[in-house]
Amino acid sequence: MNIEPNLCRVEDALEIIVGKWKPIILLHLLKNGTMRFSDLKRSIPNITQKMLTKNLRELENEDIIERFVYPQVPPKVEYSITEYGKELEPLLHAMHKWGVKHALHKQQYKFI
Amino acid sequence: MNIEPNLCRVEDALEIIVGKWKPIILLHLLKNGTMRFSDLKRSIPNITQKMLTKNLRELENEDIIERFVYPQVPPKVEYSITEYGKELEPLLHAMHKWGVKHALHKQQYKFI
DNA sequence: TCCAGTAGTATCCTTTTGTATACTATACCA
DNA sequence: TGGTATAGTATACAAAAGGATACTACTGGA
């Protein structure tokens, strides 16, 4: 039941979902299944191409998403969640739920 | 059921548990209830005083932990999880569980 | 002929995060 | 009288994350 603090693996999970963009990218891919690079870019306002590319590469290296290149010009590249990556969904939901609750809590205790 | 990606609150949860030290600090406090600054320092090898102080302040500002100062010399300061902070425990457990699974998965798919 | 669209890379910059080390005041103990 | 312990702060630095902007190759369409 208890996690022995110095044997904790929370960081391993965090490394994958952490950052300003990874959760949003994952939620978009979970929602839509497969998306092109430009779909993601359009769906996520403010993200720069550099950040989108970087985060996609990192998720790919962890086997969370897959990248498929169509050999054509202009280029077409599709990204999708792997079966394994789908296992992150409950975690993202739990975090989202807690986040909603926390936003509310913050409002309340800040004005007491 | 589905999170609308652009309304997602995952970041709100992440901001609180993210970083090299916060999960370990929280797990120690969840395990022991109350700890002095020096207890935490001793229990977390390699953390610097600056980082410990900084992270404790941030957790305090989010109402996750409480700080109690005994007016004596040499100083004595105790930290403990708030009731509200305890609600993070299931999330930490879920992340830990996923982290364990991921460490295993990594071993497997890297050698195929 | 010129422009838009694709999926990036390259370069430079700022901000955040983390490390290393030295320093503080005061009391107790030998 | 000098050392240890407590809970920090101050300073300087290194590394990582993120942002802004310009650039590429190639094609199809106006």
Side-chain angles (χ1 to χ4, degrees), chain B residues 15-79:
Chain B
E15 265 173 35
I16 282 152
I17 8 186
V18 146
K20 192 170 174 183
W21 304 113
K22 276 182 191 148
I24 309 179
I25 293 172
L26 288 172
L27 289 174
H28 274 290
L29 287 175
L30 282 164
K31 191 184 172 195
N32 300 318
T34 290
M35 291 175 85
R36 294 183 62 172
F37 184 87
S38 51
D39 294 334
L40 283 164
K41 179 94 185 55
R42 259 187 298 273
S43 305
I44 306 174
N46 304 327
I47 197 172
T48 59
Q49 279 184 309
K50 178 185 162 186
M51 278 301 113
L52 184 51
T53 305
K54 191 189 166 221
N55 283 285
L56 288 170
R57 291 289 175 281
E58 287 169 4
L59 291 170
E60 198 194 347
N61 286 336
E62 297 294 335
D63 194 31
I64 307 294
I65 66 172
E66 261 169 346
R67 179 170 180 265
F68 186 76
V69 183
Y70 293 82
Q72 64 183 51
V73 169
K76 177 175 175 181
V77 178
E78 279 184 350
Y79 292 92

Side-chain angles (χ1 to χ4, degrees), chain B residues 83-98:
Chain B
E83 278 311 304
Y84 173 67
K86 283 181 190 157
E87 294 174 31
L88 264 173
E89 196 164 18
L91 204 49
L92 287 168
H93 272 86
M95 296 177 79
H96 172 73
K97 234 176 114 182
W98 194 89

Side-chain angles (χ1 to χ4, degrees), chain A residues 19-80:
Chain A
K20 190 170 175 182
W21 305 114
K22 278 183 191 148
I24 309 179
I25 293 172
L26 288 173
L27 290 174
H28 274 290
L29 287 175
L30 282 165
K31 189 183 174 195
N32 300 321
T34 289
M35 292 175 84
R36 293 183 64 171
F37 185 86
S38 50
D39 294 335
L40 283 164
K41 179 94 185 55
R42 260 187 298 273
S43 304
I44 306 174
N46 305 327
I47 198 170
T48 60
Q49 277 183 310
K50 177 187 161 185
M51 278 300 111
L52 183 50
T53 307
K54 193 190 165 217
N55 283 285
L56 289 169
R57 291 288 175 282
E58 288 168 5
L59 291 170
E60 197 193 350
N61 287 336
E62 297 293 336
D63 194 32
I64 307 294
I65 65 172
E66 262 169 347
R67 178 170 181 266
F68 186 77
V69 183
Y70 293 82
Q72 64 183 48
V73 167
K76 178 176 174 181
V77 178
E78 279 183 351
Y79 292 93
S80 51

Side-chain angles (χ1 to χ4, degrees), chain A residues 1 19 61 84 93 102 109, chain B residues 1 11 61 84 93 102 109:
Chain A
M1 190 67 187
N61 287 336
Y84 173 67
H93 271 86
H102 185 61
Y109 94 102
Chain B
M1 189 68 187
E11 274 302 314
N61 286 336
Y84 173 67
H93 272 86
H102 185 61
Y109 94 102

